[in-house]
Amino acid sequence: DAKTTQPTSMDCAEGRAANLPCNHSTISGNEYVYWYRQIHSQGPQYIIHGLKNNETNEMASLIITEDRKSSTLILPHATLRDTAVYYCIVRAGGTSYGKLTFGQGTILTVHP
Amino acid sequence: EAQVTQNPRYLITVTGKKLTVTCSQNMNHEYMSWYRQDPGLGLRQIYYSMNVEVTDKGDVPEGYKVSRKEKRNFPLILESPSPNQTSLYFCASRGQIREKLFFGSGTQLSVL
């Protein structure tokens, strides 16, 4: 799986959009970009994933650059409950994969 | 309700005393996995299972055993626990390819 690079921490004001970047310059054509978050010591929670098109669901939007070397997770109206560690993971699709590696993630702090 | 259930939530034991952490999922998922989380090291995969009777090592399998005799259960076994296995453990499951991972609530293990 391709390596990802995320900032260690970010701040965001409540009600504003939180834009979390992720670099994955060695991504290959069959690898998807996944985002998870972990609130305090709870189990990680799936947010969104995509291959090359931008994706949106009820939680967030995922913007993937045209060359797929980086992506941005957007929380459109951040709340205090969005304070968490956000993990960007790149992983191949298909039946062959089993290992899933979480990096250090980005600590997002949403403040009033 | 779809969920991954881990037991116990907290466990304190002594060095060398065999223990088992149970994991059960009610979603008929084929894939299950165990992770440990330590400060500064993030989430690291211990073992995973692609289906019944099929298990494979993750990144940190030493000192652990798993079994997958039935689809819903994936217990983590520590035959002779040591203090360096003190950690927060998570079980996860996944259904079809590229589908999201569902995590349990975690088991905080302390080995004295």
Side-chain angles (χ1 to χ4, degrees):
Chain A
D1 295 339
K3 182 178 168 57
T4 62
T5 304
Q6 299 177 252
T8 302
S9 63
M10 295 182 65
D11 287 333
C12 178
E14 189 177 21
R16 304 296 293 267
N19 298 289
L20 292 91
C22 179
N23 283 321
H24 32 78
S25 58
T26 61
I27 192 170
S28 59
N30 67 340
E31 289 184 314
Y32 287 73
V33 180
Y34 286 74
W35 284 84
Y36 284 79
R37 74 179 182 184
Q38 186 176 24
I39 297 172
H40 194 43
S41 294
Q42 298 176 20
Q45 175 190 27
Y46 165 87
I47 302 174
I48 198 166
H49 75 278
L51 182 62
K52 51 185 174 182
N53 298 321
N54 297 337
E55 302 287 344
T56 295
N57 63 19
E58 66 278 3
M59 290 183 68
S61 295
L62 174 61
I63 308 298
I64 303 173
T65 58
E66 193 168 338
D67 63 6
R68 303 210 320 125
K69 293 183 186 300
S70 66
S71 60
T72 300
L73 178 75
I74 300 172
L75 308 178
H77 305 287
T79 71
L80 299 178
R81 286 176 294 182
D82 292 321
T83 293
V85 180
Y86 287 78
Y87 298 98
C88 170
I89 302 162
V90 170
R91 189 188 64 191
T95 59
S96 61
Y97 78 95
K99 284 190 177 183
L100 181 61
T101 302
F102 286 74
Q104 294 299 308
T106 296
I107 301 171
L108 174 69
T109 303
V110 180
H111 51 85
Chain B
E1 180 189 353
Q3 60 184 1
V4 177
T5 303
Q6 289 179 235
N7 280 298
R9 182 70 178 90
Y10 300 94
L11 179 58
I12 300 174
T13 190
V14 295
T15 299
K17 186 176 181 181
K18 181 179 178 180
L19 67 90
T20 299
V21 183
T22 63
C23 176
S24 178
Q25 50 93 5
N26 62 0
M27 295 166 280
N28 201 35
H29 283 169
E30 293 182 345
Y31 176 95
M32 298 184 75
S33 181
W34 277 102
Y35 291 84
R36 62 177 288 175
Q37 186 170 32
D38 304 287
L41 296 175
L43 279 153
R44 294 180 293 169
Q45 192 172 33
I46 304 171
Y47 269 95
Y48 64 94
S49 169
M50 300 293 282
N51 213 326
V52 175
E53 302 291 1
V54 180
T55 63
D56 210 342
K57 296 177 181 178
D59 296 315
V60 288
E62 293 78 21
Y64 303 95
K65 285 176 57 177
V66 292
S67 70
R68 189 86 184 276
K69 292 182 169 51
E70 50 190 343
K71 204 173 202 179
R72 65 180 293 123
N73 295 322
F74 190 45
L76 179 69
I77 303 157
L78 285 72
E79 294 271 3
S80 183
S82 62
N84 64 13
Q85 292 178 299
T86 292
S87 186
L88 177 59
Y89 291 86
F90 290 103
C91 179
S93 73
R94 189 198 69 231
Q96 298 299 315
I97 300 166
R98 297 190 293 274
E99 196 170 312
K100 62 187 179 182
L101 277 172
F102 291 81
F103 281 84
S105 300
T107 295
Q108 180 64 58
L109 172 65
S110 295
V111 183
L112 305 177

